[in-house]
Amino acid sequence: MQVAEGKPTVECGPLRFGIEDLEEEKNRLIKQLNINDFEIHSRGEVPVKWGTFTDSWGNRIGFFEYHNKAEESHRIKTILGNKVF
């Protein structure tokens, strides 16, 4: 799950979950849930690519995928320490 720092703004702060394959998840949502407004975004200074959509109840939900799996592993270890689940 992604948590952001700072003051929330309008149209910002959807609940985002980390996943393995963002393109695959986008295609699944489009096909199974008829989601049409799912765009994938990326910026060079950000270690992830992300996409956000609005569900049929108006909730903004998103997913993110790390570009570099070593970076992903490092971030998880930083947050969880050496705990294994």
Side-chain angles (χ1 to χ4, degrees):
M1 185 167 72
Q2 182 182 41
V3 180
E5 293 182 43
K7 185 176 179 179
T9 60
V10 176
E11 295 291 326
C12 188
L15 180 60
R16 285 198 184 111
F17 297 97
I19 58 173
E20 293 286 322
D21 188 330
L22 187 56
E23 288 286 341
E24 185 177 304
E25 189 62 20
K26 174 186 174 181
N27 292 334
R28 185 185 75 80
L29 289 169
I30 289 170
K31 186 176 184 179
Q32 292 183 358
L33 300 179
N34 253 356
I35 300 296
N36 296 317
D37 63 343
F38 193 118
E39 291 184 40
I40 294 177
H41 305 278
S42 184
R43 290 195 318 245
E45 69 275 11
V46 179
V48 298
K49 57 184 175 179
W50 68 94
T52 304
F53 66 95
T54 304
D55 69 13
S56 56
W57 297 279
N59 301 302
R60 291 182 40 81
I61 302 170
F63 298 102
F64 66 94
E65 175 187 350
Y66 275 90
H67 297 293
N68 180 313
K69 298 305 176 187
E71 173 72 15
E72 176 182 35
S73 179
H74 172 73
R75 298 271 179 137
I76 290 170
K77 285 180 183 176
T78 300
I79 293 167
L80 298 179
N82 292 324
K83 297 176 186 174
V84 178
F85 294 92

